[in-house]
Amino acid sequence: MITEITERKYAEKLLSRERQRLSFIIDGTHLGTWEWDIQTGRLVINEWWAAMIGETLEELSPVTVDTWKSHLHPEDLKISLDLIDKH
């Protein structure tokens, strides 16, 4: 059986370039990023996000949603949690 993979390889190459481009943008602009898996509570942050709140990744480890909650202004936390509940 022979499978043509040219299109897949091209798509993988484009995706790799896009990931690299996004990485350059985040690093070059010192953008703080976080990703929250609501089902598991797992939170992934980058070094810039940690720096924005005066911490390092190591100081914040292990990172959970409680890490995020503990660094929010109480009014922002309430608004955020209300919006999450509505969603």
Side-chain angles (χ1 to χ4, degrees), residues 56-68:
T56 66
L57 287 175
E58 294 77 24
E59 291 168 333
L60 292 173
S61 290
V63 178
T64 66
V65 70
D66 290 329
T67 307
W68 172 71

Side-chain angles (χ1 to χ4, degrees), residues 5-21:
I5 61 169
T6 304
E7 283 186 39
R8 188 180 97 210
K9 287 292 186 183
Y10 179 71
E12 288 172 355
K13 188 175 185 177
L14 288 178
L15 181 58
S16 177
R17 284 183 183 165
E18 190 63 21
R19 284 180 176 155
Q20 184 179 39
R21 184 177 152 296

Side-chain angles (χ1 to χ4, degrees), residues 40-71:
T40 66
R42 182 172 182 257
L43 186 70
V44 178
I45 63 171
N46 69 356
E47 64 184 274
W48 300 114
W49 190 90
M52 286 178 173
I53 60 169
E55 306 279 353
T56 66
L57 287 175
E58 294 77 24
E59 291 168 333
L60 292 173
S61 290
V63 178
T64 66
V65 70
D66 290 329
T67 307
W68 172 71
K69 287 178 181 179
S70 70
H71 289 85

Side-chain angles (χ1 to χ4, degrees), residues 25-42:
I25 291 168
I26 290 169
D27 288 341
T29 58
H30 301 181
L31 266 168
T33 64
W34 58 275
E35 301 166 61
W36 178 20
D37 183 335
I38 295 173
Q39 292 178 332
T40 66
R42 182 172 182 257

Side-chain angles (χ1 to χ4, degrees), residues 17 82 84:
R17 284 183 183 165
D82 287 347
I84 290 167

Side-chain angles (χ1 to χ4, degrees), residues 64-81:
T64 66
V65 70
D66 290 329
T67 307
W68 172 71
K69 287 178 181 179
S70 70
H71 289 85
L72 278 179
H73 186 280
E75 291 175 15
D76 292 336
L77 177 59
K78 181 180 178 352
I79 292 168
S80 296
L81 294 178

